[in-house]
Amino acid sequence: MKKLILGLAVTASSLAFAQKTTSSSNPVTFGVKGGMNVSSLSKDEGLDDQKSKIGFNAGVFANIPVAESFSVQPELLYSQYGAKSEYTGFGSKFSSSTKLDYITVPVMLQYNLIPNLYVEAGPEFGFMVSAKNKIKNENNGDSTTSDNYKDDLKTFNFGIGLGAGYYFTPNFGITARYVAGLTDTFKDNSGDAIRNNVFQVGLAYKFK
């Protein structure tokens, strides 16, 4: 909860800063965005094969001009992370589908290369809301789902995002971003850290 408050405080601070730095000619704009996630977890030595998992992201944002060609964009998103994997054990082959849902608060510094094309970078704070892991025995088709999987995981996730976007009109644009996780997703991990990684592509709409 403290980390969630911290993330929201960062967003609120950005909005407060905007009131001091923006003018009527460069007002704060608000919008909505959504799209597809292609997520994965960094390599776990115990797994034979790891694959990406498809999910979605959706939420709201504020774009805050801070200087000519520069702006800060805090966002509040619901974002699905996770991965698929395969491994062998007890003479059988198993497949696993891990679904990790987060409320994320990215805070991106954006630079406009041209008026309608920007590049961005910044931190992302993630707060887990649910986690499920479904394991299927490929030999006999039996499957089980761990509804309490969240108990084994850290509820806070931190990453760094790099991306770009292009607005076809003053309101409507396309976005792309890669977020590399920097924190371990597991509470008691004695091996190498297993981190969230996600590529996002989607659409954004600014209200003007």
Side-chain angles (χ1 to χ4, degrees):
M1 181 59 69
K2 291 181 180 179
K3 292 172 180 176
L4 175 58
I5 293 173
L6 172 63
L8 295 177
V10 170
T11 303
S13 298
S14 298
L15 292 173
F17 179 68
Q19 295 179 349
K20 299 180 180 180
T21 58
T22 58
S23 65
S24 58
S25 60
N26 292 292
V28 178
T29 55
F30 298 90
V32 295
K33 64 181 299 187
M36 180 179 68
N37 284 358
V38 182
S39 61
S40 63
L41 293 169
S42 59
K43 182 65 176 177
D44 184 345
E45 294 179 357
L47 303 177
D48 297 332
D49 185 33
Q50 286 185 284
K51 301 176 182 178
S52 298
K53 181 176 176 60
I54 303 299
F56 74 90
N57 68 83
V60 296
F61 65 87
N63 189 267
I64 306 164
V66 294
E68 186 176 359
S69 301
F70 282 97
S71 62
V72 174
Q73 183 163 297
E75 304 173 0
L76 183 64
L77 307 175
Y78 190 93
S79 195
Q80 291 184 327
Y81 284 20
K84 293 183 177 180
S85 58
E86 295 180 350
Y87 61 95
T88 56
F90 306 104
S92 297
K93 183 177 181 180
F94 297 88
S95 61
S96 173
S97 178
T98 302
K99 181 182 177 183
L100 309 177
D101 290 0
Y102 290 86
I103 297 295
T104 64
V105 183
V107 183
M108 295 289 125
L109 176 63
Q110 297 182 343
Y111 174 72
N112 285 81
L113 299 173
I114 57 176
N116 54 348
L117 174 66
Y118 68 85
V119 292
E120 64 179 7
E124 178 184 278
F125 309 91
F127 311 92
M128 184 180 290
V129 293
S130 69
K132 292 185 178 181
N133 190 45
K134 183 177 181 180
I135 298 176
K136 181 179 179 181
N137 187 324
E138 297 293 342
N139 289 21
N140 56 28
D142 291 343
S143 63
T144 59
T145 300
S146 300
D147 292 327
N148 61 344
Y149 191 58
K150 186 178 177 182
D151 295 342
D152 300 325
L153 306 175
K154 295 180 180 178
T155 56
F156 177 71
N157 185 70
F158 179 74
I160 296 295
L162 298 171
Y166 182 84
Y167 276 85
F168 300 100
T169 73
N171 303 91
F172 184 74
I174 186 171
T175 66
R177 180 183 300 163
Y178 180 78
V179 182
L182 299 180
T183 53
D184 198 337
T185 58
F186 286 85
K187 288 181 179 178
D188 301 312
N189 185 6
S190 59
D192 294 337
I194 300 176
R195 303 181 177 91
N196 282 304
N197 299 292
V198 63
F199 175 74
Q200 302 171 324
V201 61
L203 302 174
Y205 184 86
K206 288 183 180 179
F207 299 103
K208 290 192 173 183

